[in-house]
Amino acid sequence: MATRGGGPGPGAGLRRRRGGMEAAGTGTGTGTGTGTAPGGCASAREAAEAPGSPALPSRRAEVEEEREAAGPCRGAEAGGGRGGRRPPRVTVDSSKAKTSLEALKISLRQLRWREFPFGRRLPCDIYWHGVSFHDNDIFSGQVNKFPGMTEMVRKITLSRAVRTMQDLFPVEYNFYPRSWILPEEFPLFVDEVQMMKESDPSWKPTFIVKPDGGCQGDGIYLVKDPSDVRLTGSLQNRPAVVQEYICKPLLVDKLKFDIRLYVLLKSLEPLEIYVAKDGLSRFCTEPYQEPTVKNLHQVFMHLTNYSLNIHSGNFIHSDNANTGSKRTFSSILCRLSSRGADVKKVWSDIISLVIKTIIALTPELKVYYQSDIPAGKPGPTCFQILGFDILLMKNLKPMLLEVNANPSMRIEHEQELSPGVFENVPSPVDEEVKVAVIRDTLRLVDPQKKKRKNTQSQTSEQVSETKDELLDAGPADGLEYDTSKTTEAGLPSLCLKQVFPKYAKQFNYLRLVDKVAALFIRFLGVKGTTKLGPTGFRTFIRNCKLSNSNFSMASVDILYIDITRRWNSMGIDHRESGNAILYLKILEAFLVQHILLQAPLVANCAPVSFLHLMWVVGLNVNVLRMAERLL
Ligand code: ADP
């Protein structure tokens, strides 16, 4: 059944929308889509939706907890048969799950795991947080968020991280639109556009301006010329990214759409990445036309955000995964396949994009991680489901739009029955995809499985060597979940496929900055910090035997001040750990210049030019080996 616009849907309780913030703005707050973007926006909204403060566990629950903590369950309750011993059920604290609670509850029921909706006095195996790592003090178990992830995937930080990689590996990282950071790079933006126009007069670009930390399409607008960027007023307070607009997206039913793909970062060290075999496609609600001055403002034509398009009279709610304004990605692939498209290639390109993006994020994520959970101190391990927003171009090349640290896991949507009266209705398409992602994430991080794994040899997840196999990582031929295999407790086979380290051989050469991040962390000196202070910098120089008669410790201090001054003049917030990458570049430069080139230090070295030097003369492999030797 399909309902158009705000038509009534299958039964759900009516509720009247609260006034104030919730009714204001562009979004309904129920967004599946980019509505769950990184940064304060999503956090603030989700925090407002918190199901109240956790109540204290009842006495009965406490007794049960104690009994369970005392040893493995027996008999009927444990389901272990006559006297049979079963390991205790996995315990999950869902008190901070917020808007992902419904999908989490269904997943836990399917797994027969034990939920603690109000928290637990004793430690749980898993803590499921709706927003960020820092939702409470946890000293053991696993948390479904990494420290620093929200900061790392903000529009500006993500652009910076990808650009560092684009400097080193321009061809490999051409899946991210050319971007400039505003206001600081506005003059560069103007100059570069001018130069490109001069070298190719037929180039008629469009640009998209996106406020940093924004979500649900909030504050986004298109311009044809740099002079149309609104640099006055709020921009000074609200930095943004300006990006080349992808003018020729792939259309289905004449509509632009994007893909929300769920990716599990299971572990940072060693790097383990899984990709969901299916995602969601969110559709625009006005037929697409290439941007012209006349149609630039038509959001229903250019922006695929669910939270915007839900307000269009053309929005189609559908129970069918193949129709409507929100569909499964596999239904799109089926359609492309029937048109003769090479969907295996599309899928393998998407997987490459995901792996390369995560490789760009890992160096600083490691800096954050060691700062929050220093080695040797008790703390939880982390995993995280990320939402990748991807646009397919007309030629089927996938382009990364953004990464969401808190992708919406809502499995219902709001419908307006009459002005101001809303109802929540289940969304089968969301439920199909999201419950599977949460359930299978839990299966992958299952602490019991880990214990079992230690006693069994794993044969299924070996590192593959051949390039061809990357093509098989996706929904493969059937474009559907493979339910033929029987797995634990009669559950379907995993919807999450391992892509790293499975395909590590093809991507390890890109992990150069990662190696240097390890050096950076080693010389931080103080535990629990993200900044390399003057002492750490001296230690680094000493340990690497970089100081000599040409380069005294006084020069080291001067250089440190120089680097810091340069960084500060870039106007970057000091609380961010973003300086890690700059330092890393400097450290790389030292390695190249002092150890490999054996040249005296030029006190005013420009780090980026050293990076370029490395790339031009192909020294990066040597630097990598050098970094490895020093570790
Ligand atoms: P938000 O977090 O506010 O949703 P996004 O970066 O996801 O911001 O952008 C919102 C929408 O704008 C995307 O879903 C996509 O439809 C469109 N969009 C964003 N960047 C581009 C681009 N470079 N080219 C074409 N369309 C884009």
Side-chain angles (χ1 to χ4, degrees):
M1 184 197 72
T3 56
R4 202 167 259 280
L14 296 190
R15 69 180 180 82
R16 206 164 270 280
R17 189 199 278 279
R18 294 182 299 276
M21 257 180 62
E22 204 188 355
T26 53
T28 62
T30 60
T32 307
T34 46
T36 47
C41 185
S43 311
R45 195 183 60 253
E46 295 213 349
E49 290 165 347
S53 320
L56 287 174
S58 68
R59 178 65 199 137
R60 192 171 151 222
E62 278 180 31
V63 171
E64 275 182 23
E65 275 183 33
E66 277 152 20
R67 192 185 303 147
E68 205 163 276
C73 305
R74 270 183 173 274
E77 214 268 320
R82 256 178 247 156
R85 267 176 182 264
R86 260 198 167 194
R89 284 155 75 195
V90 179
T91 53
V92 180
D93 180 335
S94 65
S95 63
K96 301 268 179 5
K98 297 189 175 152
T99 52
S100 59
L101 189 63
E102 279 311 305
L104 177 66
K105 275 184 186 297
I106 298 175
S107 305
L108 293 177
R109 270 201 301 272
Q110 291 182 3
L111 294 168
R112 302 200 187 101
W113 286 9
R114 186 131 184 239
E115 183 194 353
F116 287 82
F118 305 111
R120 191 188 191 201
R121 211 162 38 82
L122 298 170
C124 274
D125 296 311
I126 293 171
Y127 297 83
W128 195 271
H129 289 177
V131 180
S132 69
F133 175 77
H134 288 285
D135 281 353
N136 41 10
D137 287 334
I138 300 163
F139 302 101
S140 64
Q142 302 179 70
V143 183
N144 69 324
K145 302 283 176 198
F146 278 93
M149 184 66 87
T150 308
E151 289 80 354
M152 278 313 297
V153 298
R154 283 173 74 99
K155 291 180 172 65
I156 287 185
T157 343
L158 176 71
S159 297
R160 272 193 215 287
V162 174
R163 198 188 299 164
T164 298
M165 297 306 285
Q166 284 174 331
D167 282 348
L168 285 163
F169 306 103
V171 175
E172 287 86 342
Y173 279 82
N174 66 3
F175 57 80
Y176 191 66
R178 210 184 329 235
S179 307
W180 296 265
I181 291 154
L182 300 180
E184 71 192 61
E185 292 179 355
F186 185 70
L188 186 72
F189 169 51
V190 174
D191 288 352
E192 289 191 358
V193 170
Q194 180 66 27
M195 263 168 48
M196 286 186 279
K197 278 186 175 167
E198 278 168 14
S199 67
D200 178 8
S202 67
W203 188 54
K204 300 271 177 282
T206 303
F207 302 98
I208 183 164
V209 184
K210 312 196 240 183
D212 189 41
C215 60
Q216 301 190 329
D218 181 28
I220 291 184
Y221 61 98
L222 305 187
V223 294
K224 290 297 274 179
D225 193 85
S227 61
D228 295 328
V229 172
R230 298 170 211 154
L231 268 178
T232 50
S234 61
L235 189 62
Q236 291 302 329
N237 310 325
R238 203 178 178 189
V241 166
V242 59
Q243 214 170 57
E244 217 176 313
Y245 186 74
I246 299 157
C247 293
K248 293 187 193 302
L250 178 74
L251 305 181
V252 166
D253 299 334
K254 300 197 174 121
L255 299 169
K256 177 175 170 178
F257 67 96
D258 75 353
I259 307 155
R260 160 60 58 85
L261 200 68
Y262 298 95
V263 171
L264 169 65
L265 179 55
K266 184 167 174 271
S267 152
L268 201 52
E269 194 71 81
L271 187 58
E272 279 186 68
I273 308 167
Y274 288 74
V275 175
K277 284 199 234 173
D278 206 352
L280 294 168
S281 301
R282 291 91 47 103
F283 279 72
C284 278
T285 41
E286 286 285 341
Y288 183 77
Q289 288 166 12
E290 284 197 30
T292 60
V293 177
K294 275 194 178 161
N295 71 28
L296 278 187
H297 311 289
Q298 297 193 26
V299 287
F300 298 148
M301 178 186 287
H302 291 294
L303 306 187
T304 49
N305 298 73
Y306 166 84
S307 52
L308 297 176
N309 284 282
I310 187 95
H311 295 293
S312 152
N314 295 334
F315 193 94
I316 301 172
H317 294 287
S318 172
D319 294 352
N320 187 326
N322 303 304
T323 57
S325 298
K326 197 191 281 180
R327 311 181 194 176
T328 58
F329 180 46
S330 55
S331 76
I332 306 282
L333 286 177
C334 270
R335 189 119 162 225
L336 291 177
S337 169
S338 68
R339 286 191 207 163
D342 184 354
V343 292
K344 280 195 165 192
K345 164 93 169 60
V346 173
W347 192 251
S348 79
D349 288 347
I350 288 177
I351 289 172
S352 296
L353 174 155
V354 167
I355 295 175
K356 289 173 189 171
T357 305
I358 293 190
I359 286 178
L361 296 173
T362 52
E364 282 206 62
L365 275 178
K366 285 180 180 170
V367 175
Y368 275 109
Y369 195 88
Q370 64 73 41
S371 161
D372 270 280
I373 311 169
K377 276 202 175 172
T381 54
C382 304
F383 62 93
Q384 187 152 357
I385 298 171
L386 300 168
F388 273 65
D389 290 349
I390 294 167
L391 194 68
L392 282 184
M393 298 207 319
K394 202 172 171 185
N395 62 5
L396 297 183
K397 180 180 167 57
M399 297 292 285
L400 176 68
L401 297 179
E402 72 166 346
V403 181
N404 290 270
N406 300 317
S408 168
M409 286 295 166
R410 277 179 181 265
I411 51 173
E412 56 189 21
H413 60 82
E414 249 182 12
Q415 279 189 12
E416 191 169 19
L417 287 186
S418 55
V421 181
F422 290 81
E423 65 171 358
N424 279 332
V425 294
S427 168
V429 177
D430 286 286
E431 185 168 333
E432 180 184 332
V433 172
K434 295 175 183 176
V435 169
V437 168
I438 293 185
R439 181 196 62 221
D440 292 351
T441 294
L442 292 170
R443 286 163 78 189
L444 284 167
V445 302
D446 179 353
Q448 306 288 356
K449 193 174 159 199
K450 263 188 204 160
K451 280 178 205 155
R452 285 198 300 273
K453 226 180 182 181
N454 289 344
T455 54
Q456 289 167 9
S457 66
Q458 270 272 319
T459 50
S460 60
E461 293 177 357
Q462 282 161 354
V463 176
S464 81
E465 309 219 355
T466 64
K467 185 150 184 106
D468 288 348
E469 284 181 55
L470 184 55
L471 297 173
D472 295 328
D477 300 324
L479 304 170
E480 283 166 3
Y481 294 176
D482 173 12
T483 48
S484 58
K485 290 173 215 156
T486 50
T487 55
E488 76 259 46
L491 295 166
S493 65
L494 289 173
C495 77
L496 293 159
K497 273 260 200 180
Q498 194 198 73
V499 296
F500 203 98
K502 190 166 172 116
Y503 305 112
K505 289 249 159 78
Q506 294 168 47
F507 298 96
N508 269 341
Y509 75 102
L510 300 173
R511 302 183 72 195
L512 171 70
V513 188
D514 233 20
K515 301 275 176 190
V516 191
L519 271 181
F520 178 79
I521 290 167
R522 185 169 150 184
F523 292 109
L524 275 171
V526 186
K527 274 192 179 164
T529 180
T530 54
K531 304 247 172 99
L532 185 67
T535 316
F537 198 64
R538 275 178 160 230
T539 314
F540 169 77
I541 303 289
R542 242 187 242 117
N543 284 6
C544 297
K545 302 190 174 49
L546 292 179
S547 58
N548 54 33
S549 51
N550 290 331
F551 188 49
S552 64
M553 273 300 154
S555 320
V556 171
D557 292 342
I558 290 169
L559 187 73
Y560 180 83
I561 293 165
D562 188 39
I563 295 165
T564 319
R565 198 183 301 132
R566 247 185 250 209
W567 187 249
N568 293 348
S569 69
M570 287 169 74
I572 286 150
D573 186 343
H574 283 233
R575 282 160 303 177
E576 287 177 28
S577 87
N579 68 355
I581 290 296
L582 187 78
Y583 285 130
L584 296 180
K585 288 182 177 183
I586 300 287
L587 301 190
E588 277 179 353
F590 272 116
L591 290 173
V592 173
Q593 199 170 23
H594 278 261
I595 303 176
L596 300 174
L597 304 181
Q598 295 294 312
L601 183 101
V602 182
N604 243 349
C605 62
V608 175
S609 62
F610 275 108
L611 275 187
H612 286 145
L613 174 75
M614 279 197 306
W615 176 59
V616 172
V617 299
L619 279 176
N620 33 20
V621 174
N622 290 338
V623 172
L624 193 141
R625 287 202 191 112
M626 179 58 69
E628 267 171 346
R629 265 214 300 281
L630 287 167
L631 283 171

